[in-house]
Amino acid sequence: MAVPVAPTAQPHPSPEATETSETSQASEASQAALLGLFPPGSALAEDGGLVIGGCRATDLAERFGTPALIVDESALRDRARRYARGLAARWANSRVAFASKAFPCTAVYRLLAEEGLSIDVASGGELTLALAGGVDPASLVVHGNAKTDAELRMAVEAGAGLVVIDNFDDIDRLERIVPGSAEQPVLVRVTPGIRPDTHAAVATGQEGSKFGLTLPQARKAIARLRGSDRLRLDGVHVHIGSQILDTDPFARAVEAVAGLGAFAVYDLGGGLGARYTYDDHPPSVEEYLDTLVGAARRVLPADAQIVIEPGRSMVAEAGVTLYRVVTVKRGEPTFVAVDGGMGDNLEVALYGQRFEATVVTRVGGGDPCHLVGRHCESGDSLSTGVRLRDPRPGDVIAVPATGAYCFSLSNNYNGALRPPVVFCADGDARAVVRRETYDDLLRRDIA
């Protein structure tokens, strides 16, 4: 069912329709800067309302309620193609595996599988969702620093293409679980001792990380696996963290694993940062690939397969969360409270991540406000000092760049109902995950 939109949508009001005053020019600049954080193709309708995926934000909020996670389907497909084609053009024997912990939604798995991507899963739940989304098991890369027997058995029985060895216990478990007549391909995850400039909670490649094996430990695991009759060592894996805004650490990680020897597969992980705010300037996909493949050409075998695992940078930009303003407390600061918060966006509380926001009918500009949620917690904040133009109860607020981890980390704090996921494309909108109900909250109770 289509959500109607104004006949013409454009990146900003036409010059003919706007005054040439400095105030008007500043407003246009503010709108353009803000739209740059939304999915590519987002625009303003003739009346100034925000349009995402060809759909009016106000109509989406009315039809699907708030809070709601809106995904621009075309933007997500374009991002997947940009990664896959960009990597293939630089290194023919390669594949892109979506790090699905960033957005483990059946519809997202299905869409990215349609685009030919492999999938990285880090739990039995993600494995189940991926298979439900039609993902080819042979394309799966199975991760986890504490994989249980049950999860490893699920992976083996499903025919997962690669299992990443994170510790020596993984080897013990797999050698018990893999049938004697079978052979499970594996990679060894290496912790290279590289600490990128990112939040401590999402840094994974430094000394003391809970993930992977140090270089000396990795050499021992490699030697042991080469003697296994049930596990086939295909290569090595390295991942140094998330929300990394500099390409140099990625090159150093490639150089670190190259010293372990020649292998058929080098999984170089992910970690490229996403743009959340005006001040964020992550490398482009192309700059990231140039650095990664440039390092690979210098130190890796030319006939090896390269795998990369983008997660946050694959999905963040495609997602927008819509809220409705419940109350406004004017003062110093002015608090604008919405009907969601840390139940649907834990990035702020966990990582101190900042988000921008706008009233969807008055885009850009305004006075600094403290955008807060409805949960009984002082830490339930969505953004401080965010400019909102004359916010009022009932207004719809849009927060861009929420496609990564917001769905993954959504929760029922204060009995909150987790929001729906809505896909938009070319003016059509459809829910792919429904909003939870109070009956859902009671469903697991045992009378």
Side-chain angles (χ1 to χ4, degrees):
M1 177 179 176
V3 178
V5 67
T8 337
Q10 52 194 25
H12 50 73
S14 65
E16 295 80 8
T18 43
E19 298 176 3
T20 57
S21 67
E22 291 183 4
T23 300
S24 178
Q25 291 173 3
S27 176
E28 287 190 17
S30 171
Q31 290 172 344
L34 186 58
L35 285 174
L37 299 172
F38 282 85
S42 298
L44 300 184
E46 287 187 333
D47 63 1
L50 179 65
V51 177
I52 304 164
C55 301
R56 283 183 176 274
T58 49
D59 292 339
L60 292 169
E62 186 66 27
R63 178 179 168 192
F64 297 103
T66 54
L69 178 54
I70 310 300
V71 175
D72 186 323
E73 182 177 350
S74 297
L76 183 52
R77 288 187 186 277
D78 288 347
R79 190 70 162 184
R81 293 167 187 169
R82 187 172 167 186
Y83 258 114
R85 293 171 182 172
L87 181 60
R90 290 163 173 80
W91 192 283
N93 184 12
S94 61
R95 60 186 174 120
V96 178
F98 169 54
S100 68
K101 62 182 182 291
F103 201 162
C105 168
T106 307
V108 173
Y109 285 118
R110 184 176 295 113
L111 182 153
L112 294 178
E114 288 171 358
E115 294 299 332
L117 268 61
S118 298
I119 301 293
D120 147 15
V121 298
S123 71
E126 290 178 3
L127 173 60
T128 299
L129 291 167
L131 295 176
V135 173
D136 178 3
S139 76
L140 291 172
V141 183
V142 180
H143 281 282
N145 71 297
K147 297 182 282 291
T148 66
D149 282 10
E151 289 172 324
L152 287 172
R153 191 169 290 108
M154 286 174 66
V156 170
E157 291 176 356
L162 287 169
V163 175
V164 179
I165 299 295
D166 195 274
N167 48 68
F168 290 99
D169 293 324
D170 277 351
I171 301 175
D172 295 337
R173 290 189 175 98
L174 279 171
E175 287 187 328
R176 290 197 308 268
I177 290 168
V178 175
S181 58
E183 187 178 56
Q184 174 63 51
V186 299
L187 305 176
V188 171
R189 178 163 180 170
V190 181
T191 308
I194 294 170
R195 173 67 163 88
D197 183 13
T198 190
H199 193 284
V202 293
T204 60
Q206 72 281 8
E207 292 182 9
S209 171
K210 75 172 186 177
F211 296 100
L213 296 168
T214 64
L215 290 166
Q217 291 171 331
R219 290 187 178 93
K220 292 180 181 178
I222 289 167
R224 179 174 167 186
L225 287 165
R226 281 177 170 152
S228 176
D229 60 356
R230 299 192 182 190
L231 307 181
R232 188 187 80 209
L233 177 64
D234 278 9
V236 292
H237 173 280
V238 63
H239 178 69
I240 56 174
S242 184
Q243 191 54 13
I244 300 170
L245 303 179
D246 176 22
T247 61
D248 178 66
F250 298 116
R252 290 190 284 124
V254 175
E255 292 163 358
V257 297
L260 292 170
F263 301 96
V265 178
Y266 293 85
D267 188 326
L268 304 180
L272 178 62
R275 187 166 187 241
Y276 289 95
T277 74
Y278 304 122
D279 295 332
D280 291 334
H281 300 287
S284 68
V285 169
E286 292 73 24
E287 289 168 335
Y288 164 72
L289 293 175
D290 283 343
T291 297
L292 208 63
V293 173
R297 288 195 183 114
R298 290 193 300 272
V299 297
L300 299 184
D303 59 346
Q305 182 183 70
I306 286 180
V307 181
I308 62 170
E309 297 174 352
R312 186 186 305 271
S313 63
M314 179 72 74
V315 294
E317 185 182 53
V320 177
T321 302
L322 300 181
Y323 300 98
R324 200 172 288 277
V325 176
V326 177
T327 187
V328 179
K329 293 180 182 178
R330 302 197 183 274
E332 294 295 336
T334 292
F335 286 99
V336 178
V338 297
D339 54 0
M342 65 191 302
D344 56 80
N345 187 338
L346 266 178
E347 289 273 281
V348 183
L350 286 179
Y351 312 126
Q353 180 59 61
R354 179 177 170 76
F355 290 83
E356 306 294 349
T358 187
V359 180
V360 302
T361 52
R362 298 182 292 281
V363 174
D367 297 321
C369 299
H370 191 165
L371 187 64
V372 298
R374 65 182 308 274
H375 299 280
C376 194
E377 191 84 33
S378 292
D380 181 27
S381 172
L382 287 167
S383 197
T384 59
V386 65
R387 291 189 176 274
L388 300 174
R389 186 143 53 100
D390 189 21
R392 312 162 198 162
D395 280 341
V396 176
I397 299 286
V399 177
T402 58
Y405 295 100
C406 289
F407 178 83
S408 312
L409 296 168
S410 60
N411 59 84
N412 296 122
Y413 186 45
N414 289 151
L417 303 177
R418 287 179 292 183
V421 178
V422 177
F423 274 20
C424 294
D426 301 322
D428 288 327
R430 71 188 194 282
V432 297
V433 177
R434 66 168 173 80
R435 186 182 306 281
E436 278 189 318
T437 66
Y438 291 124
D439 285 341
D440 290 327
L441 296 183
L442 298 169
R443 200 172 304 281
R444 291 191 299 151
D445 288 355
I446 298 173

